[in-house]
Structure formats: structure tokens, C-alpha cells
Amino acid sequence: MKGLLGGKGANLAEMSSIGLSVPPGFTVTTAACLDFVENSNTINQQIKDEVLLALQEVEKNSGKKFGDIKNPLLFSVRSGARVSMPGMMDTVLNLGLNDDSVIGLAELTKNPRFAWDSYRRFIQMYANVVMGFNVAILESTLEDLKEAREVELDTQLTADDLQELVEVYKRIIFEETGVSFPTDPMEQLWRAISAVFSSWNNPRAIKYREINDIDHSWGTAVNVQSMVFGNMGDDCATGVCFTRDPSTGEKKFFGEFLINAQGEDVVAGIRTPQPINDLSKNESNKGLQTLQEAMPKVYDELVEVYTRLEKHYKDMQDIEFTIENDKLFILQTRNGKRTAAAAVKIAVDLVNEKILSKEEAILKINPEDINQLLHPRLDPSATKNVLAQGLPASPGAGSGVITFTSEKATALNESGVKVLLVRQETSPEDIAGMVASEGILTARGGMTSHAAVVARGMGKPCVAGCSEIQINYATLTLKVNGREFKEGDHLTIDGATGEVIEGKVPTIAAEISEDFANFMSWADEFRKLEIRTNADNPEDSETARNFGAQGIGLCRTEHMFFEAERILAVREMIYAKELKEREKALAKLLPFQREDFIGIFTAMDGKPVNIRLLDPPLHEFLPHTKEDREALAEYLEIEVQLIDERCEQLHEFNPMLGHRGCRLGVTFPEIYKMQTRAIIEAALECKKKGVEVLPEIMIPLISLKGELVLLKEECIKEIETIFKETGEEVKYKLGTMIELPRAAITAGSIAPEADFFSFGTNDLTQTTFGLSRDDSGKFLPEYINGGLVPVDPFVSLDQEGVGFLVNHACVEGRKSNPKIHMGICGEHGGEPRSIQFCHDIGLDYVSCSPYRVPIARLAAAQAALRD
Amino acid sequence: MKGLLGGKGANLAEMSSIGLSVPPGFTVTTAACLDFVENSNTINQQIKDEVLLALQEVEKNSGKKFGDIKNPLLFSVRSGARVSMPGMMDTVLNLGLNDDSVIGLAELTKNPRFAWDSYRRFIQMYANVVMGFNVAILESTLEDLKEAREVELDTQLTADDLQELVEVYKRIIFEETGVSFPTDPMEQLWRAISAVFSSWNNPRAIKYREINDIDHSWGTAVNVQSMVFGNMGDDCATGVCFTRDPSTGEKKFFGEFLINAQGEDVVAGIRTPQPINDLSKNESNKGLQTLQEAMPKVYDELVEVYTRLEKHYKDMQDIEFTIENDKLFILQTRNGKRTAAAAVKIAVDLVNEKILSKEEAILKINPEDINQLLHPRLDPSATKNVLAQGLPASPGAGSGVITFTSEKATALNESGVKVLLVRQETSPEDIAGMVASEGILTARGGMTSHAAVVARGMGKPCVAGCSEIQINYATLTLKVNGREFKEGDHLTIDGATGEVIEGKVPTIAAEISEDFANFMSWADEFRKLEIRTNADNPEDSETARNFGAQGIGLCRTEHMFFEAERILAVREMIYAKELKEREKALAKLLPFQREDFIGIFTAMDGKPVNIRLLDPPLHEFLPHTKEDREALAEYLEIEVQLIDERCEQLHEFNPMLGHRGCRLGVTFPEIYKMQTRAIIEAALECKKKGVEVLPEIMIPLISLKGELVLLKEECIKEIETIFKETGEEVKYKLGTMIELPRAAITAGSIAPEADFFSFGTNDLTQTTFGLSRDDSGKFLPEYINGGLVPVDPFVSLDQEGVGFLVNHACVEGRKSNPKIHMGICGEHGGEPRSIQFCHDIGLDYVSCSPYRVPIARLAAAQAALRD
């Protein structure tokens, strides 16, 4: 039902059906939204007729009449897309009020102040959301009035004040727009529904969908629901609650509310909300009365409701409620956003509580979210100068230079600077800046504020509502307890504790919780794909192994060439004009490479290690600075000019398509010979020490079967030579990367020559699209924004194009060599949708960076379970 | 039979079977050669047994005995591959002679001088070819002896002199090699056969095969044939003749011979050969006696033979003959090498003579050879300072700096310098230098000399046997009639007249003969493929149209951007930071582009013109020199530094995979909008003038269907706007290039959006192989030499890889859009094997450069006839 009714609409319907007290209402479907968009933003007559019918039904149920002067039915009109898009779609409350019905409402509720305040709020929201009016001018009128009345809070204004304000609002709107504020409730409703539908395509919504990979073609539903009022007096309240702790996953009922308020007062972060119970108390709200204390009966009912909801939805719930004259209404419930740690704990607990099966638990967690668990945290032993304490809104540690605007954060990040975004409070306009930041620090707002919710979703550290800091946007400074920091100064936040710390604090790697370990072991029970890692040194190999990697799928030998003591020998090799000179330089590199491999083999004891022979174009190793060139000239005892000339000679127009990969092996066979020797000698040495070594030698960038045949032959010849020299042998595999379209196309003829295929989907994406990863930044974002590609093909494997080639190679390769072992080692190897694809076409493994190994394990398990 | 017996062997067998007088012999097959190569260069016993049996048969037929002292049977041992490889395989004559049989031969022929001369020649050839002995030392001994005897010619040496020489030769060989010269005729034979087999893989032979795309796996046969002697006295002679003129194709019996000589004397170019008849006379031999005069009866027999041979082989023949004591023997006949003009004339004449059908005539001519007809010749109105006159050995005009070695010619050519290779005479070692040259000039040798034959095959101009020039290899100078030219000076040759001309002479385009026009019109009757051209301006369009192009398949708009008056506006467009600025610059370009298209549409009146919208990365248009940058800064009234910064910003790591093609159209829609407007406005203006315009607008470099949908929509919008503005309409087509693997893979979904697909096989080859055309020079030659690729994939379409994608796109495209028009517009569109492929997979057209249009027409006809 979510597709048609949207998330909120479906939930409301479902809550209704399980007997919860939900304010009566109806949902205008996403289909109507799509129809609206297609018909140049007009609602067609059939839909109008259906809305009118539904409206009559609500009138019957509620005993109120829409537009009635005496007992007016008022509506909230909210968007509701298939997935929750918090804060991004627009909402109008109190719809149906006008100059007549506000009087009726005042008389009916015996609360003129409430009636006029509702009307005032309605006009402001409606002007903003539906009429596109800049409400700053209305807000400043409100501030002016408060100043004139010498009061601080809105609630201190009288009914007369608010009535006066309504008149002023309406006058300003007429003056500014030339249009009177609409007083016909039906007109209000049609325009509000249209505004929600239109807001599906506002830039913020589009941006959110892009970041979260949400389909632009889904559309939003509109939920039209009778208003219930949390602001009708002190027997009224409104709040939000989580059935478990969204930060830790702890089984604790947890929430915030405000007496005599409407919903937006809680999430806007302007008033500090009260805890609903003792468990919800924290530093900033511990002095405030709980709901349990203030309204114990309602609280008990809420507890009863949440238990029922959690069992029904088999998940932690995020519930919005309103209490109207001591009566509890559930406005909304949804699966709560949570940190990855919480997600894992909740899933494991729900399995232990027999609410979920293991399989269901595994499918519950978005593999990408695990990312959060695997990031470093502050080193507890480091000296920290804690400047202030805010709310621990999203766990993890973040450090960067502070900046105060989203634009600046984005710009700095693009130039490679790590930033910490500091805002009074965040809004949807800040999303790009949040994405670009290491962490978010806000001065206002609670655990359910925009900053907190969005940061948790992103897996970014966030400290929210840190009232000790004062932000001055004009001078770009932040004051905290008498100290001042300027834009560009370094701060650190700890999203797990809420601490704001001076300078840059060292971090340590994530630790794996017992719950997480359990959960991952369940994933391992189900998955079919082997998970390997891309690692080039013993440390990364170790990390990956600890994360559950079952081997190395890609060890890039060239990364080892850049270390200071080696680079001169590498350059000597490049500058060699004759075989003998080149062999001399290679002889210097051999011991380094052998040591590298000994380290990696030892770290991966008992697990296969796939080593790719030299791949990048030689000129990547050239000296780029004048100093480097002089140093090389001195080392080689030749003129600097000769170095410059050789650099010129080695220059390539399109290095990605140039003299690299196995082409180096063909023209300079001695390079691969040296590398093969280093691998096999290292393997023999490890074997002698009792390490179980499973080396795999991989030839990169072949486009022709003949390349593999030739280079394989040369490798084997060298290996046989070493076996004869040493009298020792070791088992090894020899295979190739499939990373060019031609290799994929002709895989059937290549496969009999290879023990394995490793799909290099980065390069394969570049050549299949004709798209340089290094250069695509100039236009690819526009493609993604414009919907020309659904997602960056370097992030998620393009299944239609690149996937066609991978699948073709897999099918043809297995036909001619059924024993061949196949996997992918591009960045896609750690991306859940790509992993699903790899599972579907029957690859044997994926290989990804160490920190993505657990993500891959989970994604592989999900793929197997969906099968 | 050619595959097994080789060309010569098959011909000998065939000549025998039609009753010609052929010296008895046998052929050792190519299968034996392959067996030999596989078995580490040894002849196996079964083959030996078969050779012995055949030998006995020859002995029976000839009445002589191999190794006999009294009446020795002597053999020629020659290579004979499937196709003729002139001068490249080694030959041994007079095999079977030794110290005993030489005496028998002397007695039998009553000509001791001949016997000892034959023995002397045999030892020299055998030492060279079979023993790998450097014969320079033997030759200098000969020279010494002539000096001692105070004679000039070999023929002036007496029998005693030659006998003495034989002893000296044998002694030198023993001293230098430590091995006696073999005197056992059977040993001589086995070693000679082995040497011929081995010579299949000598570097010169390999090089020749590479240049001529001959399969390395064919092997060579060995023809063992009884010797007949043209050097037994003045009633003996040897010669070569062509049944028609190999330069012009004229039906004239044509040849050269020498009295009292062996075959190699004629082709070596050391003595100027005599004409066989009056028709064969030219400037250098007109004073010499003809065969018709010297031996009228034999001449008549030769005429009778050639007529029979030409009818039998249905082609012009190149015949080698020897007259032994007034008896004519045909040693060899083969389809004669010829110029393209001759090939066409001969084919047309043979059809007219009812010897060939049109279909057979079309299949006779190698399309590549037509290339020769289409090259420019010297402008007849130009002032020419003719320095000397040689033989018109291969037609066409060539101009370049003179150089005297093959190595130097190759090196200069690689650095972009046009060279003319000047040699005393050429040898197979010079082939690489000949390939690298604009033309060849030799001081010695006739019309059938190595230089002449090879140059004709290559379609290069050649002036041979120009005895007026004196070449000094030591000082690298050329003297001609008192003037001296140094290496690096410019000369021009006219291969049609034999003239050697000072400096650089202007050339004019080829003219099409009536025969050629007829021939091509026959080709057009049979071909199914439409032939279009790649042309960017009215002149090229005109040329192509005259060559028979049926439309333009690729008009590259960017080539028009480089002209002086436009490039500043182009740069202004690139530097524009805002849409308005960019539109201003584009408005300047619009009238230029419109004029371009008017010119092209007019030239192609009534034929379709396919225009590709802007394709290359913008930074190709950047100012590369300091002066250009300053000029642009002044033009734009900005600082030079800003220009430099923008250049930096626009730099791409891999421009081939960068911001180009339709990606420019997506990010800067106003560029394609301007181009579309220029095309349509030009079309409307032409239409008004009565020109029939068929414009086709082509979107380049799509990888996603969405790109085409978007850009097509924008084009159509602009076109509709113009139609409304002008009240006029014109028909047009809109389609796309398929030049990226992803476009080919997803062609099925793209096709419904396109009126046509044009396969850009250059780019498709680059991306399918992951190979930059600009950078592949560093390793691709090594790949071709090493046999890793059979042929440069940029020259001939890689059917297994790139062809898979083209075929896939063709099949899938037609499935979803049966009306789609498809062709290729890469360089491959003019390459015969690629054209065959295009025909086979059912494309509608190929498009190639103007000068290749006739080649494509012929290749397409051949493909259709082979179907």
C-alpha cells in the first residue's frame, strides 16, 4: 500500500485497522500526484469528486463540518511519500479556518486565544507553503508585537493581540501579493493539496532524493486528517517518541513532548522539550516534568500503544502523538531512523525476543548503514580540552575546520579540506553542506531535530542543541564559555558523548560489538558469495581480515612503489634505455617487493592473496617536481635535461588508454618477471615458516587472449626456474582481470587460459561508458541531477551496460572453463546493489576495501535471502 | 592447389597439365614446410622417401641422372609460397654439380666455360643461401681475378679462370667456416630444401608478410626443377615477359631477355636487358636486338604460348622463360603484378574480349590497388627542371627530401618528413624504407627490377635504372649531369614518365579514365552497400561526389571551427562563464556555420548530408601558444592570467573519455541549438534556391538513451521554432553515433529514438580495446610484429571484439526499429575487409574519406558477389 498511499498514509490506514485512536481523515494517492504533475499541475475532476466523498465521510465520523461556523472541522494536510523524507515536504495545519469559523472555534473550545493563535499559525503556514510567500516579514511583525507588548514568548500574547496580528498578516499578504488570503475552506483545501503535490518537485526534495537514491517518479500522497490540538490548554500536549533508543538500540521507551503545543514546536528545537519518562532524561531536560508525571493515564495508554505497534510492525517505531483534552491521538508511526549500532542491537534483540526471524533481521538492515559502525572514534587516552557539551545526536567522532554555511562547507570540502559544519540549527537547505562535512554541531534543537535525524541517517557525527555556544554568522565566529573561534579554526565533536572539543583529537578504529559479531555471523550463514578485500599492505590486510575478509581479491603492487626508498629505483627502471639497465634497477626492487609479499602472506595466513602485476602507465611514477627531477638526475648521474626529455617522451594523451597494464608486461617482460619472482620467493619463504600461502598472480588489462597466453607462459617459465633453483614448490593460481570490453566480449576464448577472472569494474565502467573517472566531475553531477543516469555508475554498477558485459563474460567463461573462479574487485565490490547483481549472475566472490567488508557480507546475505 | 603447392608449384603443375614445355621437376609441399618448422627444422623420413621417388621419376623423364658424372641432372631449388613474394625467398640454381660432374657437364655440352661458370655460380649461391656465408668475400675474389686478367665482364673470363675461381671459393669457404663445401648431390639437395623452408621465417620474409598482410602460418613449398640453361651459348637466352603492359594495361606483348645468361641476370639489373620485340623498346634499350629478330621461331612459339596461358588463367601473365639450344622452356607463369590503372584496363579489356565475365573482372582487382589511381600527379603546367630521365617503373608523382638508406628514410618519415629513397638498386632489405618513402629512385635495374616490381605492388611512384645519376653512399650525395644534391635536398620523380625533377613540383588530382568509370559502374551494378563519404567542406564533398559518393556519412562540424576568423569566437564561447556570454559568442559563429552548410548542401544537391554536432573536448580549441593566449586576452579584454587559469580548469586527464560529444550538448545546450539552427536555416535557404537538401543531424558519443532523448527533443524544439519563424519546412532525419560500448550494448533501447545509427568505429575501437590511438604507437607495433594482433585494429575492423558490438547493436537495433538506417563512418569504412564485414552483417552503408570511395564501391561489390 505504501506505493499508492505513501508511508504516512499507509501507516495511518494500518493503525486505523488495528484499532488505534487516529484522527479521522483520508489520503489522496501518489497516483493522483503523478496525474497532477502530468496535467500541468491541475487536479482532475474525478479526483476532486473522490476527495469530496471522503470529506463527507470524515464529517460523518467526526461529527464536525468542514467550513462550519459553529463546529468547524479543521484539517492537517501533509505530504507522505513512499519513504520518509523528514522535513523536506511541506505541511499545512489548521486548514479550514477563516474569519467566521475562528469565532465558532473560540466559542466551542471556550479558548479564544487558542482559536486566534491557530488561525494566526494557519495563515502563516499557508502563506508560506501554499502561496510561496516569504514569511520573514510576518515573523518580524510578530516580534514587533511582542516587543510592543513587552513579552518574550508567543504564549504570552493575548487573544486580542493575536486577532490584531491576523488582521495585519492578511493586510500584508494582500499588499505584497495583490491577492486576498483565501477564506473559502474548499479553495484552501484544493490549493493545499496542489501545493503538497507541487512540493514533490521542489529543489530540496529533488536533492534529498538524489542523495538517498529515491526514485523521482514515485510521487507523494497527501494525507488530509482532522486536526487534534495539543495546544488547547494544559490538558493538551504533543510529542514524539521512540520505542527503543535510536542511538544505542537499547530497549528503552524514549521520547519528548511539550504541554500546550503543536507538533512543530517539538521538532523545531525552539523550546527544549520535556522527557516523556525518567528514561528519557538527559543533561538538558532532567529538570523538566515527564509525561508520566504530568499525565500518568495517558502515558500508560501510550506504553500500551507502543508495545502493540512494535509487535505489529516488527520494528522499532517512531511515533507522533497529540493529547487533546486528555485524549491520546496517534498522529503517525513509522519505523524509526536509528544509528547503525542501534539497528544491529534492535535486530538482534528482536530476534532474541522472538519477534523477528534471523532472516528477517538480516533483511531489516540497510548494509550501507553498517558503514557508521566501522568508522574511527576518539582515542580515549588522548588529552581532550572539552569546550562544551551538547546532545549526543549521532555517534562517531568528527574533526575539521569550522565553517558556518552549507555553501562554504561544500566549497572547502571540494578543495580537500575537512570541515565541521556549525549552525544555529539546520534545515533542508543545509543538506549539501552536511554531506560535505565531517560532522555537524548545532546550538539549538533536540534529539529529534532536523540536524540529529538527518545526521543519523547519513552516519555523520552530530552534536545538537549545544546551547553553550554562540554563533555569529556576521563575523563568522563562535563563542563558547568566553573563548572565541573563527571560521577556519579546528574543532572536534564526539557524537557519542555530545562533547565539543578544542583542536584535532586523535581517533581509533571502531570496535566490533558482540551484537554486531553475532549479527554478522548470521549473515555469513546465509550468503553464497565469498567476500575478499582490496589491500596492498599487511595493516590493511589485517584490518580486513578482522572484518571478516576471506582473502585478498586485489593487491595492487604499484602502490608499494611510491615509498621513498624505492621510488628512485622505480624511476631508474623507467629511464633505462636498455634491458640490462632495466634489469639492474629491477634487481634493486626485487627485495622490497619480496618483503611486501611476505608481510601480506603472513597477515593472510591460510587465505588466498590475489596479486595484480604492475598496472598503471609508467609515467605515473615520473618525478613531477623540479626537485625530484634533480634528485633523479643526480642518482642516475645524468643531466637534468635528459630527465626532462624522457618525461616528455613518456607523456601520454590518454594515459588511461595508454601504455599500461599487461602492455608493460609485453614490452618490458622483465618487470613482470621480477614481480613473479618476488611473489614466488616470498611464498616459498612463508611456507618454510609454516605460513599457509595461496598466491594468485593476476595479469591486468588484457584485451587479447594472446596477451594472457604470452605473459602466462613467461610467468610460468620464471616460476619453474625458481622451483628448480630452490628445490621447493608452492601451489599458485594464474589468471587475469577482465576490465576492458574486448576482454569481456571474448571471455569465452580467454577463460581456458585462466584459473580466475577478476572483473575490474572501475576500468570496465570507464571504457564501456567512454568516461574518465578523473574528468567526469565536470559533467557527471549534471547527469545525475538531470536524471540521465539514475546513480553514479562508478558508485553502483551499471547493470544494463557494464553488467551486460560482466554477465556475458561470466556465461561464456564458464562455458569454456567450468572450473574458473570469478569475482569483482572494482569499487562496486562493496556496494550492496552491485553485490546483489554479482550474486544474481553467479559470481564466486566480491572484493572491496577493508571497511566495506562487513557491508559486503551483509549485502551478500541479503542477496542470497532474496533469491 | 596453391595452398599446398604454393603459387609457383601450382602453376608449374598446371602448365604441365596444359601441355607446355616445362622443365621436369616436383614440388615439396607447404605441409612439409610446416612439419619441418614444427619438428625443429628437420625433414621427416616419410617426406624424404617421397622426394626420392619423385627424383627417380624426373630422372626417367629427363634421361639424366642426379649425381651422374657423365650426364648430370641439375636442379633449381626455389621457394614458392601461396602468394608471390618477389625476391624475398631464396633460390639455388645448378644444384647437383660437384668436382666430378662439372667435368661431365663440360664434356657433354662441349662448353667447359659454361660448366665451370655454372659450378662457380652454384657454389656462390649455395654458400650464401644454404650455408649463410657472407658472399662479399667471394665477389671481391671475382673482382680481383677480373682485374688480374684485365677484363671488365664476367663473360670475358675463361674456363680456366673459372676453374681456378672454384678452387679459391672452396678454399675460402673451408677456411672461413671450417666445413668443406658439400660434394654429395643428395646432401646438397636436403640442405637446400631445408634452407628454403627455413627462409620462410627469415626476418625479411616476416617483414614482407607483415606489410602485405600474409598469414605467417601458410608456409612455403619448394620447387625442385631440372635446370635448363640460358647460358650455354648464343643459341641460349633467358627472359621475362608480360602478356600485357603492367604499367598501362595496354594489350601489348612486352618483355626483356638476355642472350647467353641465366634468369637472375635479367632481374638483377646489372646488364640492361634487350627488348623481346619492337613493342618492348624504350629509351634505354631501343638500340638492342629483339628476340623476334634474334630467334624468330622461338619468338613465335612464345607468342603462341602466352595467348594460350592468358586464356587459361583468364588474366595477364608474367612469364619466365629460358631458351636452351633454341628450345623454349617456360620456367614460370603467374598473374602479373600491375599498376592499378593497368589492372582496370586489363579487366575491362578481358571482359570485352569475352575472356572474363563482369563478375569475374570485379573479383580480379584488389580494391586497395585502386588507391594508386586516385593519387595526384604532377601539375602539367608547372615549371619543371628535369635533371635526368630513368625508366617509368611505377606511375604517380612523388616528392621529398632525398635520403640514401632505408633506416634513414624510416626515421625521417616517423618524424613527419616526406622522403624520396635513392638507391643504387633496391633489395628486400630496403622494403621498410620503401614503405616509408614518397617514391623510389634507382640508378640501376630495369622495369622488372626489384625496385620496379615492389614499388608497383605498393602503389608508390618509382623511377628505375636512371643511369645518369651517380650515388655516393659515403658522402651521402647524388651527382647528376654536373650538379650535386645532398641528403636533405628536395627532388621530385614522375613515375609515369621516368623524369627526375629538381625541387618540389605542384601536383593535381587524379583523373578518372573511361575504363575505370566503366569498371566502377559494373561494381555499382552488384553492390548492396550504399557508399558515402566523410567530408567537412564543399571541395571534399565535390571530390567525393565525383568519385561516386552517394551522400555524406560524416560531416565533422568542428573542423570548421579552426579557421582564423572563427577561432576567436570559438574561444570566446569556451571562456564564457555565463549562458548570455556564451550565446553572444555562438551568435557570431552561427552565420559561419550556416554558410558552411549551404556550401556542402549545394555540393551534395540531391544527396543526404549527415552532420555530426560538436564532438571534441572544448580544450582542443584552447590557445596553445603564448601569442594566441595574448591575442585572446586582448579580444576578450581580460587579463592573460585569466586565460591561463581557464586553460588549467579545462585540462583533462583523458580527454578522449572526457567532456566531449553529447556531453557538451547536455551541459551547454545552446551550442547544439546554434548548430541545429545553422543546419536548418542553411537547408531552407538552399531549398529556396532549388537545391534538393536531405539533412541528417547526428548526436555524437551517447552512452545513455536519455542523452539522445534529451538532445533530440531540444533539436526538434529549435527546428520547430525555425519552421514557425520562417513559415517554411524541410525534411530532416535525426539520429546518433554508436561509438561507445554502452551505446552498442543498449542499442535495442536506443534505436526507437533514432532515424539512423552511424557506427563510429574509431572511437569504438579505442574504448573496446581500452587503447588510445594517439598513444598506441609506443607498443602497438610490437603487438603487430609479435603476432598478438593479426592487423592494426585501427586499420581493419576487429571483427571478434569491436565487430561483436557492431553486430549486436545492428541486430538489437533492427529488432526494435526495423526502419532504422545504419552504417559506419570510422576509417574502417574504406577498408575492404571491414567493408566485407559491414556487408555480411547487413549494414545499409559505409562512409569513408573521398579518395577511398572507389575502393569502397569495389569492395562492396566484391562482398555482394561473394555472398
Side-chain angles (χ1 to χ4, degrees), chain A residues 478-529:
Chain A
L478 174 162
K479 279 193 188 159
V480 52
N481 299 323
R483 302 201 40 196
E484 189 176 283
F485 295 89
K486 284 198 278 289
E487 188 171 68
D489 289 342
H490 235 104
L491 289 186
T492 298
I493 58 169
D494 186 342
T497 63
E499 287 170 338
V500 180
I501 309 156
E502 190 177 3
K504 211 172 166 177
V505 181
T507 55
I508 55 164
E511 274 166 41
I512 304 303
S513 73
E514 205 187 308
D515 280 335
F516 181 69
N518 276 338
F519 180 79
M520 290 310 297
S521 75
W522 298 344
D524 291 343
E525 286 172 26
F526 297 109
R527 72 179 158 87
K528 298 277 186 293
L529 283 169

Side-chain angles (χ1 to χ4, degrees), chain B residues 591-660:
Chain B
F592 289 122
Q593 287 252 293
R594 192 168 44 216
E595 282 312 306
D596 293 332
F597 296 134
I598 288 173
I600 293 170
F601 287 145
T602 308
M604 297 306 288
D605 187 0
K607 301 197 184 297
V609 175
N610 185 315
I611 297 162
R612 179 177 71 186
L613 300 182
L614 192 68
D615 183 52
L618 288 179
H619 70 72
E620 276 197 13
F621 300 109
L622 292 184
H624 292 297
T625 66
K626 194 161 164 275
E627 289 70 33
D628 282 351
R629 268 186 233 119
E630 284 166 0
L632 182 60
E634 198 179 318
Y635 177 78
L636 295 178
E637 296 176 353
I638 58 176
E639 301 274 322
V640 180
Q641 199 199 327
L642 289 176
I643 305 283
D644 295 347
E645 279 170 22
R646 193 90 175 104
C647 287
E648 192 67 27
Q649 275 172 21
L650 286 167
H651 170 264
E652 292 186 309
F653 293 99
N654 296 287
M656 200 57 79
L657 307 177
H659 195 184
R660 54 176 288 235

Side-chain angles (χ1 to χ4, degrees), chain B residues 20-81:
Chain B
L20 296 180
S21 170
V22 175
F26 56 90
T27 300
V28 193
T29 64
T30 55
C33 175
L34 300 179
D35 183 88
F36 175 86
V37 170
E38 270 167 28
N39 291 296
S40 344
N41 289 8
T42 54
I43 305 171
N44 79 39
Q45 193 52 50
Q46 193 195 335
I47 293 166
K48 283 191 171 181
D49 291 347
E50 289 171 14
V51 167
L52 290 172
L53 272 176
L55 182 63
Q56 287 163 14
E57 193 68 21
V58 173
E59 288 175 333
K60 226 168 34 187
N61 289 340
S62 64
K64 302 180 183 179
K65 267 208 138 21
F66 189 54
D68 193 280
I69 303 176
K70 294 276 167 68
N71 189 12
L73 176 61
L74 301 183
F75 282 122
S76 70
V77 178
R78 299 171 199 255
S79 64

Side-chain angles (χ1 to χ4, degrees), chain A residues 676-694:
Chain A
T676 302
R677 178 167 283 269
I679 293 165
I680 296 299
E681 288 183 351
L684 290 174
E685 194 165 326
C686 286
K687 199 183 160 192
K688 220 180 287 171
K689 290 191 208 141
V691 174
E692 191 187 346
V693 204
L694 301 163

